[in-house]
Amino acid sequence: MTAIGEPAGAREEGSSGAPATLITTPTTINAPTSIPVLSDVPMPNSNGNGSGTGTGTGNNFKSSVVIDSQPKRRVSIISDPPMMAGGAGIGGVSGPGAGHDNLAFEQNPRRKISQTSTHSHTDIGPARRKSILKDPATTTHDNESDRVSTHSYDNYRQSALDVLNAKYNGHQAAHSSAGGSNSGANYVEQSWMYTFCLKCRGEEPSASWEPPFWQKIFPYPLCPTFRTFSRLVSIILIGVLIWITAFVIIGDSAAPGGQLFSLVVLTVAANFGGYLISLTTLPRLIGMLLVGILFQNVGWVNLDGDFSKVTAHLRKFALTIILTRAGLEMEPEAFKKVYKTILKLGIIPWCVEAVIVAVMSHFLLDLPWIWSFLLGSIIAAVSPAVVVPCLFRLRTKGYGVAKGIPTLVVAVAGVDDALSVAIFGIISTVMFSDKGLAYQIAQAPVCILGGLGFGVVWGSLARIFPEKGDAYVVPLRTLLLFTGGLMAIYGSEELGFEGAGPLAVVFSAFVSNLFWCKDGWDVEDNPVSTAFEIFWMIFEPILFGITGSTIKIRELDSHTVSIGAACIFTGAILRIFTTAGIAFGDRLNLKEKFFVGLSWMAKATVQAALGPVALKHLDENSTDEERNYASIVQTICVFSIVLTAPLGAILISVTGTKLLTKTKQPQDLTGWRRSHRPSIRDISIIDEEEEREDPEIPEDKETHDNTLNNAHIPSISYTYNN
C-alpha cells in the first residue's frame, strides 16, 4: 500500500506482482491541520476474497483508489480502525460497522451516526486488535470429541452429513463408472426428508453437550439432538413414575383400561396430534380436537358416567386460564386511548352474530328462544388461539403494523371472550334456576356489578400481597391470581350468579396488571403472564381432547349438522359486513375493515369450554326434550371449531398479504414471540396516516447539523480494473 500523498505512480509490488496504483487530485480545500488516519484497503487476490495478498498468477487485479479534493501530504496508516466488533471496516461491505460513515474522517467522535442510532464511538470503545499469528479460517480442532460436543449446525454439517453425502456419492460413482456425471454432491441436504426434518427441529437457546459418538450415529437434523432426546427420556420417566404412584393410590381407574388412564393417553395423543398439525402452519388445537373425535369413535376412550364430573372441573380450570390471560394482555394506559374502538368493534358485531345464530336456530332447528340465545352467546365468541399465530406471521412480514391491526384484532377477541362467557352464565342461570322472576331479572345487574367489584378488590390485594420486593413475588402472584379466579368461577356458580365469575376473573387480572405496570413491570414481559402461558400449554390438549371425545359420529343427525353449519356461516358472514360498516372514523380503509371482520370468524376456545356445559347441567329430572336441546348445542359448538378454525387460519394467512398495507421497517416482535398474545399497547389506528407504505422517521436537529458540518469532507471511491 502506498501512503497517501506520495507522487502519482508510486507503487508497491504485492506477492502476485500486481501493481497497486494510487491516483491523487491536488485540490486546495479547507482541511484541518491534522487529518485522521486511513485503514489498509484489502486487495483482491485471484480468488476474489479481498485478502490483500494475491496468490494466483492467472489474473492481475489493479486497485485504483481515487481521493477527490485531497492535498498531497503524507499521513500514517493504522492497522486496525476503531470499529464495531465484527464490522467489515472500510474495505468490506458486510458486518455491523459497514453501514456507518467513513471512520477515518470522523470529526466529532460522539456525533450520531444515523437517524436511529443512540450510541457513539466513545460508547463503543476501541476495537480489540486481532492477532496476526492466528487465522480463524484455518483453525482446526485437535480433539474430535470437543468439536462435536456442542450444539452447532456447522459442526453437524462438517461431520455427520458429509459422511452421509460421501457414502451416497461413492454408491452413485460405483453405478455410474461407465459414464455420466455425478450431481449428488449434497444429496442429503437437497432431499425432501432433510427439509422436513429441519423444519421439525427448533433453535436451541444455548450450546448443549452431547456424547462424541452421537452425531456419527444420529446425524442432525435427520435425528434429534441429544438435548431433545434426553428431555424426552426425562418426561417419559417422570410420567411413568407418576402413573405408578397414581395406580398405587387410586387403583383400577389409573390402570390400563381405566378412565383416568384413558384421559392421560388422550391428552398425550392430543398433544402429539397438535404438533403434527402445527407443521402445516394450522393451529394446534385442530389436531387435538381431531384426536379426541378419533379416540371416541374407535372406542379408545370413555369419559362418561361419574368421570364426567372430572372433565367438567377440568373445563372450568381451562376457562379460568383463558380469561386470566385475556385480562393480563390488556395494557391499561393504551386501553384508555382506544377503548371506544375496542368496545365498538367488540360488542356490536358480537351482538349481531349472536342474534343471527339465535334466530336461525330457533326457526330452523326448533330450539326454544332461551336455548337459541344460549347457543348464540357461545358461537359469537372469537378464539385468540386461532388468530394469534396467523397474525404473528403477518406481523413479522410488516403487514398491518403501521395501523396496529394485528393487536387490535387480538384485543377485541379478548373482549369477545369475556362478553360471551358472562352472557352465557346469565342465561344458563336463568334456565336452570327454579327461583322467582325477581331473581331472574336481577341476574344481569348483579352479575355485572358483582364481577367488576370482585375484580377491583382482588386486583388491589394482588398488588399489596405479596410485597413487590419479595424474592418469591412471581410464584405468589401467579398462585394468588389463579386461586382467586377459581374462587370467582366456583363461588358465583354456588351463589346462583354464574355470569359474575367470568367478569371477575378478567377484571381482577386487568386491575392486577394495572398496579404491576405502575410498579415497573412490562406488559410484554410479564412473568405472571408467562406462567399462565405454561398452564395453558398443559390444559390446551386436555380441553380440546375431551371436547372432541364428546362427538359420536354414528349418533349425529345430518339435518342438525347441515342446518348448524348454515347458521354458523351466515352469522360469520353478516358479522364481517357489520364490522366493515361500523368501522368508520378508525382510519381503516375498506380492505382493512374486511380483513378485521374475516379475522373474527374463527371459533375454538370458548366453544370447547362452554359447549358441553348445558348438557352437564341436566340431571335425572330433566326431560328427553331438554337433553336433545343440549345435545344440539354441544354438536353445533364442536362443529363450529372444526369448520371455522382451519378456514379462519387459512383466510387470515391468504388475505392478509392482499388486504393489508406492508411496512418495510423491521418489527420488534419480542412480546409476540414470548406468548403469541400481544397486548394492545401499540394500537395506533387513531393517530396513524392512512395508506402509509413506509413511515419515515423525522429528522432531528443534531443529525441535520452533523450533515452540514461534514459536507466539506471528500468522498472516497474504489475501483478494481481487471
Side-chain angles (χ1 to χ4, degrees), residues 341-629:
T341 299
I342 293 176
L343 295 179
K344 178 179 66 175
L345 296 180
I347 296 177
I348 297 178
W350 182 93
C351 293
V352 171
E353 185 175 6
V355 171
I356 293 298
V357 173
V359 172
M360 292 187 65
S361 61
H362 172 72
F363 289 104
L364 299 180
L365 294 175
D366 296 328
L367 290 178
W369 280 111
I370 193 167
W371 282 93
S372 299
F373 278 99
L374 182 74
L375 175 62
S377 65
I378 303 175
I379 297 298
V382 179
S383 175
V386 176
V387 301
V388 170
C390 303
L391 292 175
F392 170 72
R393 288 190 291 270
L394 292 176
R395 186 181 170 103
T396 57
K397 300 176 183 178
Y399 287 101
V401 177
K403 297 183 181 180
I405 293 176
T407 49
L408 171 67
V409 172
V410 175
V412 174
V415 174
D416 264 15
D417 286 354
L419 184 61
S420 292
V421 178
I423 299 300
F424 172 85
I426 294 174
I427 295 176
S428 63
T429 302
V430 173
M431 288 177 56
F432 303 107
S433 174
D434 55 356
K435 297 183 180 180
L437 180 62
Y439 171 82
Q440 297 179 357
I441 295 176
Q443 277 292 317
V446 171
C447 288
I448 295 175
L449 296 178
L452 296 181
F454 180 87
V456 172
V457 173
W458 199 256
S460 301
L461 289 176
R463 179 193 186 184
I464 303 173
F465 306 104
E467 192 269 332
K468 63 180 181 180
D470 195 328
Y472 302 97
V473 63
V474 174
L476 290 177
R477 284 179 173 178
T478 301
L479 294 176
L480 189 66
L481 202 58
F482 185 48
T483 54
L486 290 175
M487 183 183 68
I489 295 292
Y490 283 96
S492 62
E493 182 180 347
E494 186 68 23
L495 294 175
F497 295 94
E498 192 173 346
L503 284 178
V505 174
V506 175
F507 208 67
S508 62
F510 175 78
V511 174
S512 301
N513 194 35
L514 167 65
F515 291 125
W516 295 342
C517 290
K518 290 183 179 180
D519 291 339
W521 280 16
D522 188 4
V523 177
E524 297 290 358
D525 193 21
N526 189 337
V528 175
S529 181
T530 304
F532 276 93
E533 179 188 0
I534 297 174
F535 291 165
W536 177 241
M537 292 171 59
I538 298 173
F539 277 89
E540 185 182 19
I542 298 176
L543 175 63
F544 288 99
I546 61 179
T547 301
S549 65
T550 61
I551 297 298
K552 300 178 181 179
I553 298 178
R554 292 185 297 271
E555 299 179 4
L556 290 179
D557 184 7
S558 60
H559 177 264
T560 301
V561 173
S562 58
I563 297 300
C567 296
I568 294 169
F569 284 115
T570 302
I573 293 173
L574 291 180
R575 176 173 183 154
I576 293 172
F577 283 99
T578 302
T579 302
I582 68 171
F584 52 85
D586 295 330
R587 303 294 182 122
L588 299 176
N589 58 40
L590 186 60
K591 293 182 179 180
E592 292 166 342
K593 293 176 183 178
F594 275 101
F595 174 80
V596 170
L598 285 171
S599 301
W600 290 329
M601 71 171 298
K603 322 293 181 183
T605 48
V606 173
Q607 289 75 17
L610 300 182
V613 169
L615 191 60
K616 304 302 178 184
H617 274 298
L618 301 178
D619 53 20
E620 62 276 359
N621 297 325
S622 302
T623 63
D624 293 338
E625 192 175 36
E626 290 177 334
R627 295 185 183 277
N628 181 48
Y629 295 153

Side-chain angles (χ1 to χ4, degrees), residues 177-310:
S177 57
S181 60
N182 184 11
S183 59
N186 296 319
Y187 169 77
V188 176
E189 298 180 28
Q190 295 173 359
S191 64
W192 68 269
M193 181 62 71
Y194 177 89
T195 304
F196 177 78
C197 294
L198 188 62
K199 183 178 179 61
C200 297
R201 310 301 174 204
E203 293 293 335
E204 297 289 352
S206 61
S208 63
W209 175 89
E210 61 185 15
F213 62 83
W214 185 263
Q215 284 305 313
K216 298 178 181 178
I217 303 177
F218 307 104
Y220 178 90
L222 302 180
C223 298
T225 62
F226 181 76
R227 171 177 291 178
T228 303
F229 174 77
S230 61
R231 182 188 303 127
L232 182 62
V233 171
S234 301
I235 294 174
I236 293 175
L237 289 176
I238 293 173
V240 171
L241 295 177
I242 292 177
W243 172 75
I244 294 175
T245 305
F247 176 72
V248 173
I249 297 174
I250 299 175
D252 294 339
S253 181
Q259 290 182 311
L260 180 59
F261 184 84
S262 300
L263 177 62
V264 174
V265 173
L266 174 63
T267 303
V268 174
N271 199 13
F272 181 70
Y275 168 74
L276 294 180
I277 290 294
S278 66
L279 298 178
T280 65
T281 70
L282 291 175
R284 296 171 58 95
L285 58 90
I286 299 175
M288 299 174 183
L289 189 70
L290 294 178
V291 168
I293 296 176
L294 174 65
F295 271 51
Q296 176 61 254
N297 290 275
V298 298
W300 292 347
V301 65
N302 180 20
L303 303 179
D304 296 332
D306 294 338
F307 201 76
S308 60
K309 298 179 181 179
V310 177

Side-chain angles (χ1 to χ4, degrees), residues 313-365:
H313 291 305
L314 291 175
R315 284 194 180 91
K316 292 179 181 179
F317 274 59
L319 183 63
T320 303
I321 296 171
I322 294 170
L323 297 176
T324 303
R325 293 188 66 196
L328 289 175
E329 295 298 336
M330 296 183 183
E331 206 281 322
E333 295 299 327
F335 193 87
K336 294 179 182 179
K337 299 178 182 178
V338 295
Y339 72 95
K340 292 182 179 179
T341 299
I342 293 176
L343 295 179
K344 178 179 66 175
L345 296 180
I347 296 177
I348 297 178
W350 182 93
C351 293
V352 171
E353 185 175 6
V355 171
I356 293 298
V357 173
V359 172
M360 292 187 65
S361 61
H362 172 72
F363 289 104
L364 299 180
L365 294 175

